[in-house]
Amino acid sequence: MESYGSLLKKAREDKKLEIEQVVRETSIARQYIDGLESEDNDVFPGEPYLIGFLKNYCDYLGIDSEELIKLYHAKKIQEAPPPVELLEHKKSKFLVPLIVIASAAVVLGIGAYLFFAVFNVPEVQKQKALTLAETAKTHEYAFSGKLETHRLYIGDQIIVPDPSGKGNIVLTVSNTLGSFTVETPSGSQVIELSEERELDINGDGKHDFILYVSDVSSNDASHGAEVRMLAKDPDAFTGVVVSADSSDMEEPDVSNEVPVITSVKDGTKQQVIHEDTRAYPFTVNVSFRGSCLFRYRSDRKEAVEGYYTNGEVVNVSSSNGIRLWMSNVNSLKIQVIAGLSSYSLEVGKAGQVQVEDIKWVRDTDGMYRLVIMELD
């Protein structure tokens, strides 16, 4: 009969995994990993712990946990000493079939108990399906400065106003397996379970944003992570608005001020998506659901061009204006984030080439409006 311990060890070695790495990624203590591979049951506080760790280790290695649990029970039955009564009396001819039937019934009973009661497989599968359906969506959360709690998944983004008043900062979740990782302008931040981390989100050397991870799975990234977020100084996130410096506009305006709209000719493709009493930095979030040659230019900086495919994301921030060139506009999903508001833009047809300006303009009534202008 195969040994479940040797199967575990062989699977780990085939994957070239050291025990220290397994301990770190499964959160199972080394003594229990060694106990499973050497089939030393005495290191476990009880059989439920052994069964639970065995299942988690199998799931981590990608092998059938039910088969190894059966091997464990089969070995346990083999090692159990026969009753004294059987040794003292003559064995009945029906004894062996009865033992086989009873053993099979025990194994089936234990399997059913583990399947429905301990591991609750049907319910777990149902919840996993719901979680996968939920994580298929990428969410954006506009941070208000107050205490918030969200369950975050890979690809989710937190839009945080820059405390220095220079627009918005986008934090993107990149890992929810074993620990929580978020990408910031200052680099990747890895936060362990039950850890509270103060972050410098804008690279000014000050800790202004706090994340606390209250729940994260050690073996299922689709479970996401429950994260509490708050501002270290809530007042710093209130009313963060910075006047735009129109000298950085990419448009060749002769005026140093934001251009004034005096009239709009019929047929001009212009759409107002946001207005305020002043202009301030905004962010354009572009996600790709197909192949596209994409180029952008923010303010007077150099244009950036690349060929993007499904699943890739580009974030562009601007003080005054952004110009976008798109070779296959239907493959894009575009969101504009201004202040704490987010606007989804309509896209054109598949294969359509389009050039758009997204910029602040000042109207005759003194209001600043963020507009989308399609260019020929």
Side-chain angles (χ1 to χ4, degrees), residues 74-235:
K75 179 179 180 182
K76 180 181 177 183
I77 291 172
Q78 285 184 341
E79 293 178 349
V84 177
E85 294 79 8
L86 294 178
L87 298 175
E88 294 177 348
H89 297 84
K90 183 178 180 181
K91 295 182 180 179
S92 169
K93 64 180 180 179
F94 301 106
L95 183 59
V96 173
L98 287 175
I99 292 176
V100 173
I101 294 173
S103 299
V106 169
V107 171
L108 289 174
I110 292 174
Y113 174 76
L114 294 174
F115 187 87
F116 291 102
V118 177
F119 301 115
N120 198 8
V121 173
E123 184 63 25
V124 169
Q125 291 176 340
K126 178 181 177 182
Q127 291 300 324
K128 183 175 291 188
L130 292 174
T131 301
L132 288 174
E134 182 68 17
T135 55
K137 308 173 183 177
T138 297
H139 295 84
E140 289 183 345
Y141 301 94
F143 180 62
S144 64
K146 300 178 181 179
L147 176 65
E148 299 178 15
T149 300
H150 299 287
R151 180 161 291 278
L152 301 176
Y153 303 92
I154 294 175
D156 284 356
Q157 294 183 331
I158 309 167
I159 311 301
V160 185
D162 190 332
S164 64
K166 299 179 180 178
N168 296 311
I169 296 170
V170 180
L171 310 180
T172 304
V173 179
S174 60
N175 178 57
T176 57
L177 179 63
S179 60
F180 177 76
T181 304
V182 62
E183 304 300 326
T184 77
S186 302
S188 299
Q189 297 289 336
V190 181
I191 308 173
E192 303 294 336
L193 177 63
S194 300
E195 179 185 358
E196 181 175 283
R197 176 76 60 83
E198 297 183 358
L199 306 182
D200 170 17
I201 58 174
N202 58 2
D204 62 358
K206 299 178 181 178
H207 292 154
D208 32 41
F209 192 63
I210 301 174
L211 291 180
Y212 173 77
V213 179
S214 58
D215 179 49
V216 65
S217 175
S218 62
N219 54 18
D220 187 359
S222 67
H223 181 67
E226 186 150 319
V227 179
R228 183 178 66 193
M229 59 189 77
L230 65 156
K232 190 171 182 181
D233 179 10
D235 294 336

Side-chain angles (χ1 to χ4, degrees), residues 223-252:
H223 181 67
E226 186 150 319
V227 179
R228 183 178 66 193
M229 59 189 77
L230 65 156
K232 190 171 182 181
D233 179 10
D235 294 336
F237 288 83
T238 304
V240 178
V241 177
V242 176
S243 298
D245 179 4
S246 298
S247 62
D248 289 336
M249 280 292 289
E250 79 167 86
E251 295 301 312

Side-chain angles (χ1 to χ4, degrees), residues 301-312:
K301 301 173 185 176
E302 290 188 10
V304 178
E305 181 176 306
Y307 185 77
Y308 299 88
T309 57
N310 181 38
E312 295 188 88

